[in-house]
Amino acid sequence: MFRDPSYFRALREHVVPLLRTYPSLKVWVAGCSAGEEAYSMAILLREEGLLQRTLIYATDINPHTLAKAGAGIYAIDRIAGFTVNHRGSGATSSLSDYYTAAYGRAVFDKSLNDHIVFSDHSLATDSVFAEVQLVSCRNVLIYFNRELQDRALGLFHESLCRSGFLGIGSKETLRFSSQAGGFDSFVTQERIYQKRSLA
């Protein structure tokens, strides 16, 4: 959770103030795997007072990992690392506020799930399903060839509302994509982009 804490700190400091201007929010966590990123996003938004008006779509193509994600249960030996990352994200609370530990496992607060929809979605074959203010798809595009990267980025661009935000992984870039012209760099170091508004 909170992998690359500086990314989440950048969201907190630079993106959240703009998200506050929306009466309701939709966030897409694409390629959510076992759910760590989705729960990280939910916790950050709760800390910033935005979760109550947010719906997070967490999608993946693997039904097994989606089931794990929905359960919100992680091995207790991962929690120390999660806690360090959470603190590094500029957190205003303790990560322990969000889970219960027992029998070698940490079970995350079910109230977080009330704002997360875990769903099957393929970036290779499926289409856009909602308009969102933020897409977070990190460390997924590196596994795609150029054509598939362009398709996924096209979906993100189509899904984002005007001036919406896209976050990608630290080893990923839009620079060589056919979709690059649709985005402006917003927090360059953290690979956060903003959908370019057409004049």
Side-chain angles (χ1 to χ4, degrees):
M1 283 188 186
F2 293 91
R3 180 178 177 181
D4 304 320
S6 56
Y7 169 78
F8 287 96
R9 183 180 283 273
L11 288 179
R12 198 185 292 274
E13 294 176 353
H14 302 286
V15 176
V16 162
L18 296 166
L19 296 182
R20 288 190 198 286
T21 65
Y22 293 94
S24 63
L25 292 169
K26 290 182 179 172
V27 175
W28 181 9
V29 177
C32 72
S33 190
E36 293 92 338
E37 185 105 352
Y39 288 109
S40 300
M41 194 69 71
I43 290 167
L44 184 150
L45 291 170
R46 176 170 284 177
E47 289 172 341
E48 297 299 327
L50 293 177
L51 187 60
Q52 280 304 112
R53 53 181 154 126
T54 300
L55 183 60
I56 298 170
Y57 297 105
T59 63
D60 203 273
I61 58 168
N62 186 324
H64 176 67
T65 56
L66 280 171
K68 279 183 67 175
I73 300 172
Y74 300 96
I76 200 74
D77 60 6
R78 300 183 67 195
I79 295 297
F82 289 170
T83 300
V84 170
N85 288 348
H86 176 243
R87 202 174 301 125
S89 77
T92 56
S93 63
S94 169
L95 189 65
S96 62
D97 294 343
Y98 301 101
Y99 67 85
T100 305
Y103 307 109
R105 303 182 307 170
V107 182
F108 276 77
D109 191 338
K110 292 298 180 197
S111 68
L112 297 172
N113 283 52
D114 294 343
H115 301 274
I116 306 173
V117 176
F118 290 102
S119 183
D120 186 339
H121 182 274
S122 169
L123 295 172
T125 58
D126 293 334
S127 56
V128 166
F129 55 85
E131 183 180 68
V132 301
Q133 283 80 27
L134 169 63
V135 175
S136 190
C137 181
R138 301 194 311 132
N139 308 304
V140 174
L141 298 177
I142 51 174
Y143 299 106
F144 291 176
N145 63 27
R146 182 62 51 79
E147 183 182 359
L148 195 49
Q149 286 179 4
D150 284 349
R151 186 188 196 280
L153 291 167
L155 288 179
F156 300 154
H157 187 270
E158 190 182 340
S159 182
L160 283 167
C161 68
R162 183 176 178 176
S163 302
F165 298 94
L166 169 66
I168 60 175
S170 59
K171 300 200 169 38
E172 298 167 333
T173 181
L174 301 191
R175 192 175 303 141
F176 306 110
S177 168
S178 64
Q179 299 292 331
F183 295 92
D184 291 314
S185 191
F186 188 72
V187 184
T188 305
Q189 193 171 348
E190 299 303 330
R191 305 291 200 277
I192 298 173
Y193 299 85
Q194 187 170 31
K195 184 175 178 176
R196 184 170 287 168
S197 296
L198 298 174

